[in-house]
Amino acid sequence: MDDRQRIDDLVNRGLLDQWYAVAKSVQIKPGKPYAVKALGRNLVLWRDTGGNLKCLEDYCPHRGARLSRGEITGDHISCRYHGVTLDGTGTIVRVPAMPDCALEGRRAVASFPVAESNDAVFVYVGGHGQREPPPLALPEEFTNPEWTSILCVSPWACNYRYALDNLADPMHGSYLHANSFTLAFGAKQDQMRIERTGAGFIVMRVEQQGRNFDWTEMVTETAAPYCRLDIPYPDAAGPGGPFRIIGFTTPVDEHNCLVFFWRMRKASGLAREVWRFMYRARLEDRHWHVLEQDREMLVNMPPDARKREMLYQHDVGVARIRQALVNKAKAQLAGEDAAAARSAS
Ligand code: FES
Ligand SMILES: [Fe+2]
């Protein structure tokens, strides 16, 4: 396989050595295993008796049953098929059908570091080097108590790269969403400009700022990439500046992804409660509708649209996010090759 194909395959599957959002916190209920797929891997998540999350490959080492069909026994997970029980490190702690079974104590299944923040669960998917995971660095809005957020998660039947391209393309707001409540304003023609930031770039419209979805910051140089954008706040939803969207994208497999969008607002005290109420009552459905417009457009594009597209000046953000993914893939493959060479010598 040539290098370009290797890089493209890796980017399509999803880069390793990164943290990925995989579920809403509320989806993982005490006492129940939760199955999720990310980067082509079947995973099972559960909470131990202290509420801490555990994550293993969703595979019983005995004969391959899905652990997610089993049950939680204290801190552990037990396979439904013959009761083999594993702890959160993937070590077999009990083989109930066979006393003193030699499998006990064997670390038999991959485990994944897992963290929880702002109503979502993040899993670290390491590469072949199996380095210690870097800490999960999240957007400052997540840790700054001035912000409040409402999370919305949606499965999209397209490669995650389409979701990223879409986010790096502020121009589509004035067309695809032209009939929507919050995005109906603004010039239909513009130039795009890119500005580097410390950990990525901002793609922005040149002529128009603060009228529509006018810029996106893509934060790429981190182990938990995300994007940030502002939407002007419509008068009908009460006073206040723009509200912010923080988005994470997770490859499920090559043809599916999960998108996580936090709708955020800087507000405290009563204003916070009013905003949360107003958002749920008046805006949430409309935002679902806007997101559906994106989803509907992307899932109906051919999976290999990249091979035939004809880009023009507005697509500088699209080109830049793709370049960032390629650069990361190159670094990852170089690391893998170096590790393979070391182990061969
Ligand atoms: S397959 Fe899981 S215990 Fe047998
Ligand atoms: Fe959109």
Side-chain angles (χ1 to χ4, degrees):
M1 200 189 312
D2 67 13
D3 276 0
R4 270 180 58 182
Q5 191 60 46
R6 246 182 116 201
I7 292 165
D8 204 47
D9 286 351
L10 174 57
V11 175
N12 281 335
R13 286 196 304 270
L15 296 166
L16 304 177
D17 295 326
Q18 289 193 172
W19 288 93
Y20 287 100
V22 297
K24 284 186 175 187
S25 288
V26 292
Q27 289 176 303
I28 303 155
K29 307 203 179 350
K32 276 194 81 167
Y34 182 82
V36 72
K37 193 171 182 186
L39 288 95
R41 292 152 171 80
N42 290 314
L43 307 174
V44 60
L45 290 147
W46 77 94
R47 293 185 188 279
D48 67 14
T49 45
N52 302 306
L53 286 162
K54 309 284 173 196
C55 180
L56 296 181
E57 184 190 353
D58 189 6
Y59 178 89
C60 176
H62 174 222
R63 295 239 315 274
R66 284 290 187 89
L67 289 172
S68 56
R69 303 196 166 210
E71 56 196 48
I72 306 308
T73 44
D75 291 341
H76 307 322
I77 189 163
S78 297
C79 179
R80 172 89 49 199
Y81 208 4
H82 316 91
V84 165
T85 300
L86 295 104
D87 69 12
T89 69
T91 303
I92 298 171
V93 293
R94 230 162 70 82
V95 181
M98 169 102 192
D100 301 323
C101 176
L103 294 178
E104 286 179 6
R106 285 260 291 274
R107 195 160 175 181
V109 173
S111 68
F112 295 82
V114 50
E116 201 164 10
S117 175
N118 275 54
D119 306 324
V121 174
F122 296 81
V123 165
Y124 183 77
V125 184
H128 302 293
Q130 284 299 334
R131 282 180 273 141
E132 270 296 292
L136 172 58
L138 290 166
E140 66 102 12
E141 292 89 340
F142 280 21
T143 45
N144 180 340
E146 289 176 28
W147 289 88
T148 181
S149 64
I150 294 176
L151 169 61
C152 146
V153 181
S154 185
W156 287 1
C158 62
N159 188 282
Y160 76 102
R161 301 179 69 177
Y162 283 60
L164 289 182
D165 286 352
N166 185 56
L167 285 158
D169 161 30
M171 201 65 214
H172 83 265
S174 297
Y175 287 86
L176 178 61
H177 307 310
N179 59 356
S180 88
F181 179 59
T182 46
L183 298 171
F185 315 99
K188 294 268 196 204
Q189 291 184 2
D190 218 331
Q191 295 283 307
M192 279 308 152
R193 191 158 64 86
I194 297 248
E195 229 170 61
R196 279 173 94 103
T197 60
F201 65 93
I202 297 180
V203 53
M204 65 185 90
R205 297 178 57 154
V206 172
E207 298 293 333
Q208 170 173 305
Q209 292 287 309
R211 304 250 318 136
N212 196 320
F213 156 42
D214 300 324
W215 56 268
T216 309
E217 178 179 6
M218 308 294 293
V219 180
T220 55
E221 304 315 300
T222 160
Y226 62 91
C227 71
R228 172 186 280 121
L229 59 98
D230 279 353
I231 306 276
Y233 206 58
D235 292 343
F243 71 83
R244 181 152 291 178
I245 293 181
I246 300 279
F248 283 72
T249 311
T250 300
V252 171
D253 57 29
E254 286 198 40
H255 304 290
N256 294 276
C257 66
L258 285 171
V259 295
F260 289 71
F261 288 111
W262 279 263
R263 281 75 186 261
M264 308 202 74
R265 183 102 168 81
K266 224 175 191 174
S268 56
L270 184 60
R272 167 180 302 215
E273 295 317 308
V274 169
W275 177 75
R276 295 183 71 87
F277 175 80
M278 292 281 273
Y279 183 85
R280 294 229 186 262
R282 303 200 60 166
L283 283 179
E284 195 163 31
D285 281 356
R286 296 170 201 251
H287 284 165
W288 259 110
H289 176 67
V290 170
L291 214 51
E292 276 299 287
Q293 290 178 322
D294 289 308
R295 188 192 64 77
E296 218 278 326
M297 189 58 67
L298 301 178
V299 303
N300 286 298
M301 287 163 65
D304 60 348
R306 269 194 307 283
K307 294 195 181 131
R308 285 182 58 188
E309 63 195 6
M310 302 168 84
L311 304 183
Y312 58 97
Q313 199 274 337
H314 287 168
D315 300 308
V316 285
V318 171
R320 183 64 76 97
I321 187 65
R322 292 178 183 177
Q323 192 57 49
L325 295 175
V326 165
N327 291 346
K328 280 190 142 183
K330 279 184 183 163
Q332 191 182 307
L333 289 171
E336 273 174 26
D337 291 348
R342 270 198 304 278
S343 66
S345 67

